[in-house]
Coordinates of all heavy atoms in Angstrom, one line a residue:
I32 N 29.6 9.5 16.4 CA 30.4 9.7 17.6 C 29.5 9.5 18.8 O 29.8 8.6 19.7 CB 30.9 11.2 17.6 CG1 31.8 11.4 16.4 CG2 31.7 11.4 18.9 CD1 32.3 12.8 16.1
F33 N 28.4 10.2 18.9 CA 27.5 10.0 20.1 C 27.0 8.6 20.2 O 26.8 8.0 21.3 CB 26.4 11.0 20.1 CG 26.8 12.4 20.7 CD1 27.5 13.3 19.9 CD2 26.5 12.8 21.9 CE1 27.9 14.5 20.4 CE2 26.9 14.0 22.4 CZ 27.6 14.9 21.7
T51 N 36.1 7.3 21.8 CA 35.1 7.7 20.8 C 35.0 9.2 20.7 O 35.0 9.7 19.6 CB 33.7 7.1 21.1 OG1 33.3 7.7 22.3 CG2 33.7 5.6 21.1
I52 N 34.9 9.9 21.8 CA 34.4 11.3 21.7 C 35.4 12.3 22.2 O 36.3 11.9 23.0 CB 33.1 11.4 22.6 CG1 32.3 12.7 22.3 CG2 33.3 11.2 24.0 CD1 30.8 12.6 22.7
G53 N 35.3 13.5 21.7 CA 36.3 14.5 22.1 C 36.0 15.1 23.4 O 35.5 16.3 23.5
W149 N 34.9 16.4 10.2 CA 34.1 16.2 11.4 C 32.7 16.0 10.8 O 32.2 17.0 10.1 CB 34.1 17.3 12.3 CG 33.3 17.2 13.6 CD1 33.3 16.2 14.5 CD2 32.3 18.2 14.0 NE1 32.4 16.5 15.5 CE2 31.8 17.7 15.2 CE3 31.8 19.4 13.5 CZ2 30.8 18.4 15.9 CZ3 30.9 20.1 14.2 CH2 30.3 19.6 15.4
N202 N 40.2 18.1 13.5 CA 39.3 17.0 13.8 C 38.7 16.5 12.5 O 38.0 17.2 11.8 CB 38.1 17.6 14.7 CG 37.2 16.5 15.2 OD1 37.3 15.3 14.9 ND2 36.1 17.0 15.9
Y233 N 39.5 23.4 19.7 CA 40.5 22.8 20.6 C 41.7 23.7 20.9 O 42.8 23.3 21.1 CB 41.0 21.5 19.9 CG 39.9 20.5 19.8 CD1 39.1 20.5 18.7 CD2 39.6 19.6 20.8 CE1 38.0 19.6 18.5 CE2 38.6 18.7 20.7 CZ 37.8 18.7 19.6 OH 36.7 17.8 19.5
K265 N 36.1 22.2 25.6 CA 37.2 21.4 25.9 C 38.2 22.1 26.8 O 38.6 21.6 27.8 CB 38.0 20.8 24.7 CG 37.2 20.8 23.4 CD 36.3 19.6 23.3 CE 35.4 19.8 22.0 NZ 34.5 18.7 21.7
F367 N 43.0 14.3 18.9 CA 42.7 13.1 18.0 C 43.9 12.7 17.3 O 44.8 13.4 16.9 CB 41.6 13.5 17.0 CG 40.3 14.0 17.7 CD1 39.9 15.3 17.5 CD2 39.6 13.1 18.5 CE1 38.7 15.7 18.1 CE2 38.4 13.5 19.1 CZ 38.0 14.9 18.9
R393 N 39.3 7.3 13.9 CA 39.8 8.4 14.8 C 39.8 8.0 16.2 O 38.9 7.5 16.8 CB 38.8 9.6 14.6 CG 39.3 10.8 15.4 CD 38.1 11.9 15.5 NE 37.2 11.5 16.6 CZ 36.3 12.4 17.1 NH1 36.1 13.6 16.6 NH2 35.5 12.0 18.1
Ligands
LMR501 C1 33.9 15.2 18.8 O1 34.3 15.4 17.7 O2 34.0 14.1 19.4 C2 33.4 16.3 19.7 O3 33.6 17.5 19.0 C3 32.0 16.1 20.1 C4 31.0 16.2 19.0 O4 30.2 17.1 19.2 O5 31.1 15.5 18.0

Side-chain angles (χ1 to χ4, degrees):
I32 298 171
F33 277 78
T51 62
I52 194 160
W149 179 56
N202 183 3
Y233 296 88
K265 338 281 171 177
F367 303 114
R393 183 195 81 169

